[in-house]
Amino acid sequence: MLTQEEVGAAKQRAAAALAEAGIALTPGEHAAIEVADFGLSRLDEIGLELVVYVNTERVCAKELVLFPRQTCPEHRHPPTGGSPGKEETFRCRRGVVYIYTEGDPSPNPACRPPDPESGAFTVWHEIELRPGDQHTVPPNTLHWFQAGDDGAVVSEFSTMSTDELDVFTDSRIARETVVRAT
Amino acid sequence: MLTQEEVGAAKQRAAAALAEAGIALTPGEHAAIEVADFGLSRLDEIGLELVVYVNTERVCAKELVLFPRQTCPEHRHPPTGGSPGKEETFRCRRGVVYIYTEGDPSPNPACRPPDPESGAFTVWHEIELRPGDQHTVPPNTLHWFQAGDDGAVVSEFSTMSTDELDVFTDSRIARETVVRAT
């Protein structure tokens, strides 16, 4: 659970990161920046800031902001009602982001998970993305990612987002951010 | 038909516009910038420069560069084999772009088509996009667009691109750029 002040401060930080990346938002988009703490109340370590540009039944596009070393926890997008599951392409715009996904584990990964003993980070095939680099994660494939020391801005191009259907390895995770009334 | 020199110069101009917009490309993407003259050999008036980031069976994302007052001619994306046709969202990143689409004609449009007498520009509902603004064009809907006096960089988020299936109002148009051997 985050306080309104914490959410407001995270929105301002995310907006500043997007502005530094040269990405223009409308005032409405600025106000609607989403702050996801995955229900763990440790936003700086485990969290994600998002601007959703479009999310129709067919296409979704977003900007993701990661604070320095902030981690999006491990999850997959399972098949649902006739669809094979969400397909996502991540394109780094600023900073560095390390994506971990299924495949041969990398011997010397650049990241440590926030909870090494939690068992919630199980895939270790590392893909390093710098500005201009991108990677497509197929449907129903486990992945997690972490920004480098200076944070990252990452564009996501995908099929429809249905966050509530995502399957997280850490069973404590809830995708919906709860803001504490003050 | 364009000469290799014309294509090379257009690629350099497009790359410069993308760099000014803060958009990083890999060397491979830089080399693969697509220059489309729609077979009319009047690139500065009727044309488009593109970087295709991803184009799978489900999702496509591109950057479009328009030179000052350059026009993408009127077309639609028809239904094909079980799909309702391509759905496109245009998001302005830099400059100004005017999209013309089906709907009430705008009384004082900001653009003149390159060939007013050609009959190839039939929809006049104007949507002005400045950085941060976007518009979604539904499948099978006529549209054309032109940049303002300083050109434009526009992101496109869509379903799969199948350019060869596009239907242009101007029957002289061929989507494939032909480069003259020198």
Side-chain angles (χ1 to χ4, degrees):
Chain A
M1 202 148 50
L2 299 176
T3 65
Q4 286 180 334
E5 287 69 25
E6 286 169 326
V7 171
K11 279 185 167 192
Q12 289 301 326
R13 268 179 95 182
L18 290 164
E20 275 177 40
I23 292 171
L25 300 185
T26 62
E29 287 171 337
H30 190 286
I33 292 175
E34 189 185 344
V35 176
D37 79 338
F38 301 97
L40 301 178
S41 305
R42 297 161 60 194
L43 183 68
D44 283 352
E45 291 170 282
I46 304 177
L48 193 60
E49 294 68 44
L50 309 88
V51 179
V52 179
Y53 290 149
V54 59
N55 188 21
T56 73
E57 289 196 1
R58 302 174 75 194
V59 175
C60 180
K62 305 175 182 178
E63 303 291 356
L64 312 179
V65 176
L66 291 157
F67 299 145
R69 292 290 164 189
Q70 198 181 31
T71 297
C72 176
E74 185 177 291
H75 64 286
R76 61 184 170 84
H77 307 286
T80 58
S83 157
K86 187 184 178 203
E87 172 192 299
E88 295 177 332
T89 296
F90 296 105
R91 183 177 178 88
C92 182
R93 300 292 194 167
R94 189 181 170 88
V96 187
V97 64
Y98 301 92
I99 297 184
Y100 295 88
T101 186
E102 298 178 21
D104 291 339
S106 299
N108 294 303
C111 299
R112 279 170 46 86
D115 278 325
E117 65 294 328
S118 69
F121 297 87
T122 68
V123 293
W124 285 95
H125 182 71
E126 178 180 281
I127 297 156
E128 176 182 317
L129 302 182
R130 293 180 176 268
D133 296 332
Q134 64 181 39
H135 177 72
T136 299
V137 178
N140 207 24
T141 303
L142 286 170
H143 58 290
W144 61 280
F145 46 94
Q146 185 178 105
D149 290 335
D150 296 320
V153 174
V154 179
S155 298
E156 181 187 310
F157 315 123
S158 74
T159 55
M160 180 171 61
S161 270
T162 50
D163 293 339
E164 67 282 8
L165 300 177
D166 294 350
V167 178
F168 287 86
T169 305
D170 186 339
S171 59
R172 297 168 300 171
I173 284 178
R175 178 62 180 77
E176 202 70 17
T177 297
V178 178
V179 177
R180 186 160 55 207
T182 48
Chain B
M1 204 146 51
L2 299 176
T3 66
Q4 287 181 334
E5 287 70 24
E6 286 168 328
V7 171
K11 278 184 166 191
Q12 290 302 326
R13 268 179 94 182
L18 290 164
E20 277 178 39
I23 294 171
L25 300 185
T26 62
E29 288 171 336
H30 191 284
I33 292 175
E34 187 184 345
V35 176
D37 80 337
F38 300 98
L40 301 178
S41 304
R42 297 161 61 192
L43 182 68
D44 282 352
E45 291 170 282
I46 304 177
L48 193 60
E49 294 69 43
L50 308 89
V51 179
V52 179
Y53 289 148
V54 59
N55 188 23
T56 73
E57 289 197 2
R58 302 174 75 193
V59 175
C60 180
K62 305 176 181 176
E63 304 290 355
L64 311 179
V65 176
L66 291 158
F67 300 146
R69 292 290 165 190
Q70 197 181 30
T71 297
C72 176
E74 186 177 292
H75 64 287
R76 61 186 170 84
H77 307 286
T80 59
S83 158
K86 187 184 179 204
E87 173 192 299
E88 293 176 334
T89 296
F90 297 105
R91 183 177 178 88
C92 182
R93 300 293 194 168
R94 189 181 169 90
V96 186
V97 63
Y98 300 93
I99 298 184
Y100 295 89
T101 186
E102 298 178 22
D104 292 338
S106 300
N108 294 302
C111 299
R112 279 169 48 86
D115 278 326
E117 65 294 327
S118 68
F121 297 87
T122 68
V123 292
W124 285 95
H125 182 71
E126 180 180 280
I127 297 156
E128 178 182 316
L129 301 182
R130 293 179 176 271
D133 296 331
Q134 63 181 39
H135 177 71
T136 300
V137 178
N140 206 25
T141 302
L142 286 170
H143 58 289
W144 60 280
F145 46 94
Q146 185 178 105
D149 290 335
D150 297 320
V153 174
V154 179
S155 296
E156 181 187 309
F157 315 123
S158 74
T159 54
M160 181 171 59
S161 271
T162 50
D163 293 340
E164 66 283 7
L165 300 177
D166 295 350
V167 178
F168 286 87
T169 305
D170 186 339
S171 58
R172 297 168 301 172
I173 285 179
R175 178 62 179 74
E176 202 70 17
T177 297
V178 178
V179 178
R180 187 158 53 206
T182 48

